[in-house]
Amino acid sequence: MGLGAGALPLSAAINWVIKDGFGQLGGVVYATMVGQKFDSDPKHQRFWSAVWLQTATWLEMLTPLFPHAFLAIGSVANIGKNISWLAMSATKASINKTFCRKENLGDVTAKHGSQATAAGLVGTALGVVVGATMDVSVYTLIVGFVPISLASLWGNYQSLLYTVTPTLNVERARLMLQDAVALEHGRLALDSARLLTPRQVSRIEKFMREIHNVEPQGDLPGIVISADIGRLYRTRPWTVEATSAEDMAIMVSSAFQPRNHVWNERYYIGYLPRTADGSVYLWFGKQATDTEILLGFYHAMAFRRLLGSSHLPRTSIDNSMAIHTQSYQFAKQTFADACTHITDAGWDTSIVYFAKR
């Protein structure tokens, strides 16, 4: 064939180097793209790291069936594994910290590592027993891996339900405030008894997908949240009817008018009644602090609550002016008290993850 004695080993070595190189490069690209999401959505990232790992392992099991595509399949699988390991390690500190009862992060991390090692040893032992006692083919392994993989993902999901995340992103903040910002006799009121704790939110929050906005719910409109005005049009996630650039321009212009703009604040709230759901739009100035961002969200939730109960004809921005003013006055008068109750409930308000900057 004209191949030298070292040609085949050299070719195999190059294939392995390329495969591993693609895997490591994929991990670097993923870390660059995800960035702060490891802190804002650790449960989401942890769950999908498990999905990546199971998928990558299953792809590796296919390589004996398609030897001609070994490099392609192995490279994709290695990218998945590197992404999984990176996400697991990046979220480990955030998740372990939630289990600390005092400054014992090192102790919790050590126990996490020992339990993971013990589980790995048990799995390896079971694999050895199965391999030694059964005539297992590649096809049997591939088919048998699927239910075991699904069981692993189910266990991962169930464990994350018990993981308490005290930092605030859009989903957790919505669940925390949704019932606390209430209406009493037609007026806004802060019901601190209905403000949910991190532990209560952990059992009901959605973390299978990323949530960047508050979605419409019944008569309550949605809230579209953007880091700044430049991203506002691109971040609108839902509309039955397409929102035109002209509608957005009118809404933004109205939000900047002195009669509508929240005085001396570094956030802006607009309202688009012509969309199918009558969305509230919230965006922030570049110098907005975390406290101001939280105030803006609190104001938007109050505005949303009033809009949902007002039954105003959603045809004109001017119709919402009185509601806008009322919700702002409520937010300013009760925000300090709300922050006290939020902190007492166990939430960390030192940094909020509402919009990617």
Side-chain angles (χ1 to χ4, degrees):
M1 300 293 292
L3 297 176
L8 291 177
L10 178 61
S11 176
I14 291 175
N15 277 347
W16 279 103
V17 169
I18 293 174
K19 178 178 70 71
D20 291 345
F22 273 122
Q24 293 173 7
L25 180 61
V28 171
V29 172
Y30 179 75
T32 302
M33 294 175 61
V34 172
Q36 202 179 55
K37 294 178 183 178
F38 290 125
D39 296 306
S40 62
D41 294 308
K43 295 167 75 168
H44 172 83
Q45 296 297 329
R46 187 56 175 258
F47 177 79
W48 283 101
S49 71
V51 174
W52 276 105
L53 180 61
Q54 300 301 325
T55 304
T57 304
W58 188 76
L59 282 174
E60 284 186 332
M61 296 175 69
L62 294 179
T63 53
L65 302 179
F66 305 97
H68 58 283
F70 169 81
L71 183 58
I73 297 175
S75 296
V76 173
N78 237 28
I79 290 173
K81 280 194 169 183
N82 274 273
I83 289 175
S84 173
W85 292 332
L86 189 148
M88 284 185 180
S89 61
T91 56
K92 183 185 298 183
S94 296
I95 291 177
N96 286 348
K97 188 178 179 180
T98 66
F99 291 100
C100 295
R101 291 294 175 265
K102 52 184 179 180
E103 295 300 322
N104 62 330
L105 180 59
D107 180 39
V108 172
T109 303
K111 287 182 170 59
H112 174 275
S114 62
Q115 290 178 11
T117 301
L121 288 173
V122 171
T124 301
L126 289 175
V128 170
V129 171
V130 171
T133 57
M134 299 176 61
D135 184 15
V136 181
S137 67
V138 174
Y139 296 99
T140 305
L141 286 174
I142 293 174
V143 174
F145 177 77
V146 174
I148 296 173
S149 176
L150 292 176
S152 174
L153 292 176
W154 179 84
N156 187 282
Y157 176 82
Q158 291 297 317
S159 68
L160 289 173
L161 292 177
Y162 292 92
T163 301
V164 180
T165 309
T167 55
L168 290 170
N169 62 6
V170 172
E171 173 68 358
R172 291 191 288 273
R174 178 190 69 83
L175 292 170
M176 176 189 70
L177 288 173
Q178 183 159 273
D179 294 329
V181 178
L183 281 175
E184 295 181 359
H185 308 294
R187 296 184 63 85
L188 286 167
L190 174 62
D191 187 351
S192 59
R194 301 175 71 182
L195 192 146
L196 299 187
T197 66
R199 187 168 299 279
Q200 290 171 320
V201 168
S202 69
R203 301 306 303 270
I204 57 176
E205 71 170 305
K206 300 174 183 177
F207 57 84
M208 296 283 284
R209 60 185 178 90
E210 294 183 12
I211 299 176
H212 303 293
N213 303 286
V214 177
E215 297 182 358
Q217 184 179 5
D219 290 332
L220 298 175
I223 304 176
V224 182
I225 303 173
S226 179
D228 55 61
I229 191 172
R231 302 179 186 179
L232 196 60
Y233 189 77
R234 299 194 303 271
T235 54
R236 56 188 181 87
W238 64 81
T239 44
V240 177
E241 299 176 2
T243 305
S244 69
E246 181 182 357
D247 289 338
M248 293 291 292
I250 293 173
M251 184 271 294
V252 170
S253 176
S254 176
F256 277 106
Q257 291 178 11
R259 62 178 182 176
N260 280 349
H261 174 46
V262 286
W263 300 269
N264 300 319
E265 306 298 350
R266 293 175 180 169
Y267 68 87
Y268 302 85
I269 289 181
Y271 179 57
L272 258 185
R274 271 175 266 180
T275 56
D277 50 67
S279 299
V280 175
Y281 283 76
L282 169 66
W283 67 98
F284 307 101
K286 292 185 177 180
Q287 303 302 319
T289 64
D290 290 289
T291 300
E292 290 168 327
I293 291 174
L294 184 57
L295 171 59
F297 185 80
Y298 183 63
H299 178 185
M301 289 291 287
F303 190 30
R304 175 183 189 243
R305 175 65 67 185
L306 280 176
L307 285 171
S309 63
S310 65
H311 304 294
L312 282 177
R314 299 183 180 183
T315 57
S316 171
I317 291 176
D318 291 335
N319 288 336
S320 63
M321 189 190 311
I323 291 180
H324 185 283
T325 302
Q326 183 181 346
S327 62
Y328 174 70
Q329 292 172 347
F330 163 80
K332 288 295 290 184
Q333 291 170 3
T334 62
F335 181 66
D337 190 31
C339 283
T340 300
H341 289 298
I342 289 170
T343 303
D344 291 344
W347 292 102
D348 180 5
T349 59
S350 60
I351 183 170
V352 292
Y353 302 99
F354 286 171
K356 183 178 179 182
R357 291 185 173 273

